[in-house]
Amino acid sequence: MQIDKITTHDLAIFQSEEEFSVFHRLNFTKTAVGKEWLRRFFQQPHGDLQKIRATQEVLRLFQERGAQWPPYITNGTMLVIDKFLDYELDAIPASLNRINSFSYRVLHPQDYSMARFSVRHFADFYRGLRQLLVLFADVELPRQVSYFTDRIRSLLREEPLERLAALEPGAVLSIQETLYYAYHVRGRYKNSTLELIDVFGRLEAWYSMAAAMTHFGLQFPRFVDSAEPQFNARGLYHVLIPNPVAYDLVMDPQQNFVFLTGANMAGKSTLIKAVGAAVYLAHLGMGVPAAAMELSLFDGLLSNINVTDNLVRGESYFFNEVQRIKNTIVKINDGKKWLVLIDELFKGTNVQDAMKCSLAVIKGLVKMRNSLFILSTHLYEIGEELKVYPNIAFKFFETKVANDQLSFSYQLRDGISDDRIGYVILRREKVVDLLESLGENG
């Protein structure tokens, strides 16, 4: 599925402040290599139903077996292994006996201490991999998982690795045994260990995706093999919201354009981002934050949410809004299925100009039945002129005001909202009082 960096940022899939990202929220990895593989998976939403369903099959398996995930492999263990493989260790004799082993310990005390400490972590790593093989021993594995478990099984048949994997936690090794393992893991079996680390990273990334699904109660969506775009969600919410209010939303070729209105803070942006994040996760093969969701495969996902100006280039906010819309139109005019999310068109110009520009854009986009659109706006006045288009669904979030107190239901309703609460908020926050008092003490 095509997606650009602007869209992944708009949807908070990835953020510079990582703790506010969907990726961070759903990251249950314990090691850096697992996190890196998870990031790679998140950067590659699938554009193929077969790949999506294959990933779903993998995650179902990890959901079933995840509670038994081996505890031995920690990020600390991986760091020690990585450091030891690159450490400038004085050469260990290829043929070891009690005498030259003892001599090495006496003559190279720091190197021996490093070897002794590191070998324990290698044992933990191989032991954890062996436990993974046991975990998946009695089940028919998806092809992707089977390939990697076969590689683990093959590499752990090598005698030094097999013997290390069989060590009990806390086992005490002799000087000669310590140096024997240190010699082999740094020599002939270094590349094998690096491959096993990479394999484990992939498996842990899948484990993390499955663990996130279980922890947050995410549900696998159902993909329909359709030439026309479809989206049907029941109980949809945003995974970053602590106590979300769920929505029901249906979009199809008959009504492929949602015209969304409502006051500031009523929930428009959250809905748009919830839809985008759910579709994104679905194309990763993950579960989605919804009670149930059915959708077609989308060829691309584009957003127009957080447009900025560019002072260095001398480009205004409005100019960049226009450029983003222009680029969007060019991209989606290819006959493929796109999901397009637009939050508050043309904020960078005056109201009359914004209404004229917005109408022009909407009247053009509604002609494109191959894609789905959600567009939010404060310009509710243009809604009347758009009611002649049968494929536009008018939705709004209501706001109630009583004694300058605001209440939001966050419920999605049919129709158009004419709520304006900016001045209410200004007055409620005592800004009006402050302004009126200016100069009184002068």
Side-chain angles (χ1 to χ4, degrees):
M1 183 175 70
Q2 297 181 56
I3 188 166
D4 59 18
K5 289 184 179 180
I6 292 175
T7 301
T8 56
H9 185 268
D10 279 350
L11 299 179
I13 305 300
F14 301 103
Q15 288 276 17
S16 54
E17 296 181 86
E18 191 174 82
E19 65 271 23
F20 300 112
S21 70
V22 173
F23 172 79
H24 177 78
R25 181 79 162 167
L26 302 182
N27 175 23
F28 280 71
T29 61
K30 302 297 184 184
T31 70
V33 65
K35 182 178 180 180
E36 183 54 37
W37 269 109
L38 182 65
R39 187 181 298 278
R40 292 190 200 182
F41 289 166
F42 263 68
Q43 290 171 336
Q44 298 172 351
H46 302 303
D48 181 281
L49 275 178
Q50 187 175 354
K51 290 182 179 179
I52 290 172
R53 287 168 178 156
T55 301
Q56 289 180 343
E57 184 183 8
V58 170
L59 298 188
R60 285 190 181 94
L61 170 67
F62 278 77
Q63 278 191 294
E64 293 170 4
R65 301 296 174 107
Q68 303 168 56
W69 191 255
Y72 303 111
I73 304 176
T74 66
N75 196 51
T77 287
M78 305 300 263
L79 290 172
V80 169
I81 289 174
D82 185 61
K83 183 175 181 179
F84 186 67
L85 292 178
D86 290 335
Y87 186 76
E88 293 185 8
L89 197 75
D90 287 341
I92 299 171
S95 179
L96 288 161
N97 54 52
R98 293 179 63 184
I99 295 174
N100 61 10
S101 298
F102 183 77
S103 297
Y104 187 92
R105 178 185 178 183
V106 172
L107 297 174
H108 311 278
Q110 290 184 330
D111 287 349
Y112 176 77
S113 295
M114 180 69 174
R116 183 185 178 193
F117 178 71
S118 301
V119 163
R120 295 173 187 166
H121 287 278
F122 278 88
D124 288 341
F125 177 57
Y126 300 136
R127 188 186 308 113
L129 292 175
R130 190 176 68 163
Q131 188 174 340
L132 281 178
L133 295 180
V134 174
L135 182 63
F136 297 127
D138 60 343
V139 64
E140 184 176 350
L141 298 177
R143 182 178 57 83
Q144 297 157 281
V145 179
S146 178
Y147 172 80
F148 292 116
T149 54
D150 285 348
R151 287 302 296 156
I152 294 172
R153 189 175 293 106
S154 175
L155 293 171
L156 287 187
R157 286 196 185 106
E158 300 292 337
E159 182 183 356
L161 308 192
E162 185 177 36
R163 286 170 59 182
L164 267 179
L167 286 177
E168 293 296 325
V172 177
L173 299 176
S174 68
I175 300 172
Q176 186 173 335
E177 286 174 322
T178 297
L179 293 174
Y180 166 81
Y181 291 126
Y183 174 82
H184 283 292
V185 297
R186 285 174 55 86
R188 180 179 175 184
Y189 300 107
K190 178 177 180 178
N191 288 337
S192 297
T193 299
L194 292 174
E195 182 182 348
L196 287 170
I197 289 172
D198 188 72
V199 166
F200 175 78
R202 292 172 185 259
L203 295 176
E204 191 188 25
W206 281 325
Y207 161 77
S208 173
M209 294 165 78
M213 287 184 58
T214 300
H215 182 82
F216 292 109
L218 308 184
Q219 303 298 316
F220 282 116
R222 189 174 83 86
F223 278 88
V224 293
D225 196 355
S226 169
E228 298 179 315
Q230 297 181 38
F231 178 87
N232 185 342
R234 179 171 57 82
L236 173 71
Y237 61 94
H238 201 298
V239 74
L240 291 179
I241 304 297
N243 298 297
V245 175
Y247 322 101
D248 295 342
L249 182 64
V250 177
M251 301 179 71
D252 55 35
Q254 286 68 48
Q255 287 197 312
N256 70 316
F257 197 110
V258 172
F259 183 84
L260 184 62
T261 54
N264 284 325
M265 304 188 299
K268 302 190 301 299
S269 297
T270 301
L271 170 64
I272 288 175
K273 293 176 183 178
V275 172
V279 169
Y280 189 92
L281 292 174
H283 284 72
L284 294 177
M286 278 194 74
V288 298
M293 194 169 103
E294 186 176 276
L295 73 162
S296 58
L297 184 74
F298 286 93
D299 296 292
L301 172 58
L302 278 175
S303 68
N304 187 323
I305 297 175
N306 298 314
V307 177
T308 59
D309 57 7
N310 191 318
L311 295 177
V312 175
R313 292 184 180 179
E315 297 169 353
S316 70
Y317 185 97
F318 178 72
F319 177 82
N320 283 336
E321 283 187 297
V322 171
Q323 291 302 308
R324 182 63 176 168
I325 286 294
K326 177 183 176 181
N327 293 337
T328 297
I329 295 167
V330 170
K331 278 189 175 182
I332 67 177
N333 191 27
D334 58 2
K336 296 183 178 180
K337 296 193 291 289
W338 289 81
L339 174 63
V340 181
L341 307 170
I342 303 172
D343 191 20
E344 298 293 348
L345 259 181
F346 304 123
K347 298 186 285 288
T349 187
N350 64 73
V351 173
Q352 294 302 317
D353 205 22
M355 287 196 290
K356 185 175 180 180
C357 293
S358 296
L359 276 171
V361 169
I362 295 170
K363 288 178 180 180
L365 295 180
V366 294
K367 301 174 187 176
M368 308 183 75
R369 297 300 188 97
N370 58 292
S371 297
L372 301 183
F373 302 88
I374 303 179
L375 182 146
S376 76
T377 183
H378 286 298
L379 308 174
Y380 65 86
E381 297 92 341
I382 66 177
E384 288 299 319
E385 192 169 336
L386 296 173
K387 286 183 177 179
V388 297
Y389 296 97
N391 60 316
I392 296 183
F394 296 92
K395 305 285 184 178
F396 77 97
F397 287 105
E398 67 179 353
T399 305
K400 294 182 179 178
V401 182
N403 299 320
D404 283 352
Q405 296 303 308
L406 306 173
S407 63
F408 306 100
S409 68
Y410 303 111
Q411 297 293 331
L412 191 61
R413 304 192 185 281
D414 294 328
I416 299 174
S417 167
D418 61 358
D419 292 334
R420 294 194 185 279
I421 63 169
Y423 189 76
V424 174
I425 295 173
L426 201 70
R427 189 169 59 222
R428 189 189 68 178
E429 296 303 311
K430 308 299 183 184
V431 176
V432 174
D433 291 345
L434 286 171
L435 291 169
E436 290 176 348
S437 67
L438 290 177
E440 290 182 0
N441 298 323

